[in-house]
Amino acid sequence: MEFRIPIDQWADFIINYLRINYRSFFRSISGVIESFVSGFEGLLLVVPVIIVVAIVVAIAWKMAGRGVALFSLAGFLLLLSMNLWDQTARTLALVLTSTVIALAIGIPLGILASRSDPTERIIRPILDLMQTMPIFVYLLPAVMFFGIGPVPAVIATVVFAMPPAIRLTNLGIRQVPAEMTEASIAFGSTPMQMLTKVQLPLALPSIMAGVNQCIMLSLSMAVIASMIGAGGLGAVVYRAITRLEIGSGFEGGLAVVIIAIILDRITQSVGKGTTRKVN
Amino acid sequence: MSKIEVKELYKIFGSHPREALVKLKSGRSKEDLLQKTGHTVGINDANFAVDEGEIFVIMGLSGSGKSTLVRCINRLIEPTAGTITLDGEDITKLSAEKLRVMRQKKIGMVFQRFALFPHRTILQNVAFGLEIQGLDKATREEKAMTVLETVGLKDWSHVYPEQLSGGMQQRVGLARALAADPDVLLMDEPFSALDPLIRKEMQEELVELQERLKKTILFITHDLDEALKLGDRIAIMKDGIIAQIGTPEEILTNPADDYVESFVTDVDRSKVLTAENIMFRPFAIVRDDDGPRVAVRKMQEEGFSNIFVVGPERVLLGIVTVEKALEAVKNNVKDLHQILDADIPMTAPDVLVQDLLPMAVTAKVPIAVVDENKRLKGIIVRVSVLAGLSGMEVGDDGVPHTD
């Protein structure tokens, strides 16, 4: 006699149950995300590309210095010369949307986890699950709930990119020296005052590392998300691979790398700027 | 009435502190509790009262419970049992909201490792407590600036803590604690992390500051010299128990038990002993209306070659040597005023023994200890200065001896 726990049947049942009974709920989420993505994308495409480049270069200059600014300028010129701006705009819109959602959920969860050990104990295995479960396993249910297109891509990306934001927010707050929180309490802070005036500012380098990781993971999902019709640079790579066009595949891949480096350097410098004062 | 009163205060760390407390009170030992139930006794029945405007030093080695005790006062650590009253109000029974208000307005705290906020400028650090109270920016920065001036750091208001030396950082820590003008200051080993010279400087500054501010200060230290220097009164703690409470002098001259005594024997006595401690009763004195004959006779009786002359109410007039007195008797001079020498070494009772050394070396006659009205309190002979320095007892007869 064979003993078997029918996890597969349970999963199927839950997915089907949710899909049938919460159709309108998923529709409305879908609508919100869709408008986010197309909003960001539209913004990037409506504004003349030269202005977008100027803004990114200016931010890079201010935050990360001249080197990164020059690299950004060169990188964008390369993107434009490869004629990949439209796809880049879509990818950036996906990354932005996913990151905003992941942070909007992840940072508060990280704060919650830092404030109580039981919460942390509950959240931690869920994060392990989110990070190690093969992406395709939840890419498909996402498609079942939201159809194909950018929406399931964003959902899957959020699931994949959120854990570091939670983990590093939690870690950052827990690493605030006890004497700082003690001083804060001794002067009569409420828990909220302590959080906003002492813990979050001191945890900022760690939180920014989480933001950085979140953005990088979102970007790394860009290629995979193209398989479910998210579009963007991933689609360039995916199409090239399926047609064995190595050259244009390389172009798409290079574009992803350029965007990744620019975003990484800029967000890393935000974290570093505060570390100087902390140490 | 005392400013702060602590009664029957206990702190027990562990999972079931109340049950452990019952066991402790029923006579189980600390070691027994730790081994059998895993509970640590942090404070064991502490009782003391701090007067308004007093520096009350709690001194003990690490693990003696002194930091725990001071943290119970503002409930950074919740006491297991007992009462702590500040201005008659029981702190242990305050609601969370009332406790916050008390921390904001009545109790300032200074920390061993400064605990300044690295992301805030000096001014923002000092203004922190006022910001927490909800004061607007202009008001709180103005107040913070005033306090920064008090500690001599107003030119540094816009730099960050890491740019200051340890001593300066702790002055900021002090300014932050003073900013809300609290009645009570809790100082948890505030100078322990500083270099010895800076520490000394800060101790002197605190004494000066305290003369102006008259705060009620609970000062924690593991350094007996510091305790003796700053404390109006000192509580010595060991294993969570207060072993003795007293003025520095009481602690030094009359240690309650072997533990306190073992501390005290290491003290550099010249830094704490004063003229008062080593002087002895002036037995060879004459009244100014007694005349030279009486003076000579008293000197003969006592075997001294000179004698102090006092007026009404023992006001010191000067000294008469045996030669001059004999000469006066021969020449039939009746008035001691004509032969006394008024230019003699004198000192106040609270002068440190180490500061008496130069005087003792050059003085040819005993040093007279006089109060502010020039009344003769006692005399010090050279040998008792040296005896005081070496830690020997000086008997009532003025002769040093060891136990």
Side-chain angles (χ1 to χ4, degrees):
Chain A
M1 199 172 117
E2 197 187 356
F3 173 73
R4 192 172 187 282
I5 301 172
I7 292 177
D8 53 348
Q9 289 171 29
W10 293 347
D12 283 342
F13 174 79
I14 291 170
I15 301 271
N16 279 320
Y17 178 82
L18 291 176
R19 196 160 63 98
I20 293 160
N21 293 286
Y22 291 91
R23 192 178 292 262
S24 59
F25 172 70
F26 290 120
R27 282 259 169 81
S28 55
I29 287 186
S30 189
V32 172
I33 292 175
E34 186 119 41
S35 54
F36 253 101
V37 176
S38 50
F40 278 132
E41 190 182 359
L43 191 69
L44 286 170
L45 293 177
V46 161
V47 178
V49 75
I50 194 79
I51 293 179
V52 176
V53 173
I55 290 173
V56 172
V57 170
I59 292 174
W61 191 300
K62 188 153 195 304
M63 302 295 237
R66 200 174 53 183
V68 178
L70 286 176
F71 177 85
S72 304
L73 185 63
F76 267 98
L77 291 178
L78 192 61
L79 281 176
L80 293 172
S81 80
M82 293 190 289
N83 210 12
L84 285 174
W85 178 240
D86 286 1
Q87 289 86 338
T88 303
R90 163 56 72 97
T91 296
L92 281 175
L94 286 172
V95 168
L96 266 169
T97 309
S98 309
T99 305
V100 167
I101 295 172
L103 295 180
I105 302 170
I107 290 178
L109 277 179
I111 293 171
L112 275 183
S114 75
R115 295 184 92 74
S116 98
D117 291 337
T119 313
E120 193 197 20
R121 275 199 293 277
I122 294 167
I123 287 180
R124 194 181 278 169
I126 300 176
L127 296 182
D128 294 336
L129 184 96
M130 286 162 77
Q131 282 187 299
T132 51
M133 182 67 84
I135 298 152
F136 299 101
V137 175
Y138 51 87
L139 211 52
L140 278 177
V143 172
M144 290 172 80
F145 290 132
F146 301 103
I148 58 164
V151 178
V154 167
I155 298 287
T157 306
V158 166
V159 172
F160 182 65
M162 191 161 55
I166 299 175
R167 281 190 208 277
L168 286 164
T169 302
N170 176 33
L171 182 73
I173 292 177
R174 282 176 184 269
Q175 277 179 342
V176 170
E179 54 191 31
M180 297 292 149
T181 52
E182 194 177 49
S184 175
I185 296 170
F187 286 101
S189 305
T190 61
M192 198 58 180
Q193 282 173 323
M194 181 160 87
L195 181 69
T196 56
K197 292 178 195 295
V198 177
Q199 291 174 309
L200 286 181
L202 289 177
L204 197 62
S206 177
I207 295 174
M208 283 314 297
V211 171
N212 172 274
Q213 284 300 300
C214 188
I215 292 176
M216 301 316 282
L217 288 178
S218 300
L219 199 55
S220 75
M221 273 295 278
V223 176
I224 295 163
S226 67
M227 294 171 68
I228 52 171
L233 291 172
V236 176
V237 177
Y238 187 56
R239 197 184 315 116
I241 288 169
T242 53
R243 294 179 190 169
L244 291 178
E245 294 169 5
I246 308 298
S248 66
F250 188 73
E251 280 191 344
L254 192 61
V256 172
V257 171
I258 289 169
I259 296 295
I261 291 177
I262 294 173
L263 290 177
D264 178 64
R265 298 301 184 270
I266 292 177
T267 50
Q268 258 189 22
S269 64
V270 175
K272 279 199 190 113
T274 51
T275 341
R276 193 185 52 78
K277 281 176 212 158
V278 170
N279 292 326
Chain B
M1 197 184 75
S2 303
K3 185 82 180 168
I4 303 170
E5 262 186 85
V6 173
K7 279 187 189 151
E8 292 168 36
L9 191 75
Y10 289 87
K11 175 65 193 180
I12 295 172
F13 297 98
S15 49
H16 299 92
R18 299 214 146 261
E19 289 164 28
L21 178 66
V22 173
K23 285 179 191 155
L24 182 72
K25 280 186 171 173
S26 70
R28 295 272 288 275
S29 76
K30 230 182 109 141
E31 293 73 24
D32 198 36
L33 273 180
L34 181 61
Q35 271 171 12
K36 299 214 174 108
T37 68
H39 286 79
T40 310
V41 180
I43 300 170
N44 191 349
D45 195 16
N47 291 279
F48 61 91
V50 186
D51 293 329
E52 182 141 22
E54 175 181 42
I55 300 186
F56 189 87
V57 174
I58 299 171
M59 120 123 229
L61 301 178
S62 60
S64 62
K66 57 191 192 302
S67 285
T68 308
L69 181 55
V70 78
R71 278 168 174 71
C72 283
I73 305 290
N74 62 353
R75 276 172 63 189
L76 285 177
I77 293 177
E78 287 289 344
T80 308
T83 57
I84 302 163
T85 51
L86 170 56
D87 289 333
E89 197 172 6
D90 189 350
I91 296 177
T92 59
K93 296 198 170 52
L94 291 179
S95 66
E97 180 55 36
K98 280 193 172 162
L99 177 62
R100 270 198 290 275
V101 173
M102 181 165 279
R103 285 168 175 164
Q104 286 169 4
K105 306 205 165 153
K106 278 195 147 174
I107 306 175
M109 191 158 182
V110 184
F111 298 86
Q112 180 176 6
R113 306 207 17 87
F114 323 139
L116 299 181
F117 301 118
H119 61 292
R120 293 173 152 250
T121 63
I122 298 309
L123 188 68
Q124 288 167 340
N125 261 288
V126 175
F128 181 79
L130 304 170
E131 188 179 326
I132 293 298
Q133 286 184 30
L135 270 78
D136 64 86
K137 195 164 186 263
T139 316
R140 68 183 189 236
E141 292 199 340
E142 191 192 315
K143 284 194 181 188
M145 216 49 199
T146 317
V147 187
L148 266 181
E149 206 168 336
T150 313
V151 299
L153 285 177
K154 75 175 160 64
D155 296 335
W156 298 84
S157 64
H158 289 287
V159 307
Y160 287 90
E162 60 159 12
Q163 290 161 273
L164 299 186
S165 68
M168 288 162 100
Q169 288 194 30
Q170 194 56 302
R171 272 185 234 180
V172 177
L174 185 60
R176 180 175 63 176
L178 289 172
D181 196 22
D183 299 345
V184 176
L185 277 187
L186 306 178
M187 305 184 79
D188 181 21
E189 299 209 35
F191 307 144
S192 300
L194 303 174
D195 291 338
L197 283 177
I198 309 287
R199 190 185 311 154
K200 214 174 148 198
E201 237 175 78
M202 293 290 287
Q203 289 165 351
E204 277 151 21
E205 274 188 44
L206 181 67
V207 171
E208 268 172 45
L209 212 59
Q210 170 67 353
E211 279 184 2
R212 273 185 288 156
L213 299 175
K214 299 261 182 268
K215 301 287 181 194
T216 305
I217 300 177
L218 244 95
F219 191 104
I220 308 295
T221 183
H222 63 259
D223 174 358
L224 186 64
D225 279 338
E226 186 169 74
L228 295 169
K229 190 167 179 180
L230 297 176
D232 292 315
R233 283 188 304 147
I234 301 168
I236 294 192
M237 270 191 100
K238 186 204 176 193
D239 293 339
I241 296 172
I242 296 183
Q244 184 174 7
I245 299 178
T247 62
E249 205 181 300
E250 281 164 8
I251 301 261
L252 277 181
T253 52
N254 201 1
D257 56 23
D258 291 349
Y259 178 75
V260 178
E261 194 170 351
S262 68
F263 262 125
V264 170
T265 45
D266 293 340
V267 181
D268 183 350
R269 299 175 72 98
S270 67
K271 284 185 187 152
V272 288
L273 283 182
T274 60
E276 214 171 14
N277 299 129
I278 59 162
M279 70 185 185
F280 53 90
R281 195 168 42 83
F283 34 79
I285 54 170
V286 284
R287 290 285 303 266
D288 59 339
D289 50 8
D290 275 343
R293 273 174 202 285
V294 181
V296 170
R297 207 185 64 229
K298 279 202 171 172
M299 277 185 269
Q300 280 171 340
E301 272 170 20
E302 303 285 352
F304 282 88
S305 60
N306 44 45
I307 192 164
F308 284 104
V309 182
V310 296
E313 291 181 14
R314 286 173 80 91
V315 170
L316 181 65
L317 298 172
I319 202 164
V320 171
T321 60
V322 73
E323 293 90 345
K324 282 204 174 159
L326 285 171
E327 203 183 333
V329 171
K330 204 167 72 186
N331 300 338
N332 214 10
V333 176
K334 291 273 184 309
D335 194 353
L336 278 177
H337 285 98
Q338 289 177 18
I339 56 166
L340 66 78
D341 181 5
D343 184 23
I344 54 170
M346 275 184 279
T347 183
D350 56 357
V351 172
L352 289 174
V353 169
Q354 63 177 9
D355 296 332
L356 287 175
L357 263 178
M359 196 189 278
V361 168
T362 54
K364 295 193 173 56
V365 295
I367 299 168
V369 182
V370 294
D371 68 9
E372 60 278 353
N373 296 320
K374 233 189 146 193
R375 277 195 282 263
L376 184 64
K377 296 307 226 182
I379 62 172
I380 297 172
V381 292
R382 200 184 309 189
V383 64
S384 50
V385 174
L386 298 173
L389 289 180
S390 65
M392 282 188 283
E393 302 285 334
V394 179
D396 278 341
D397 51 2
V399 178
H401 58 83
T402 47
D403 297 318

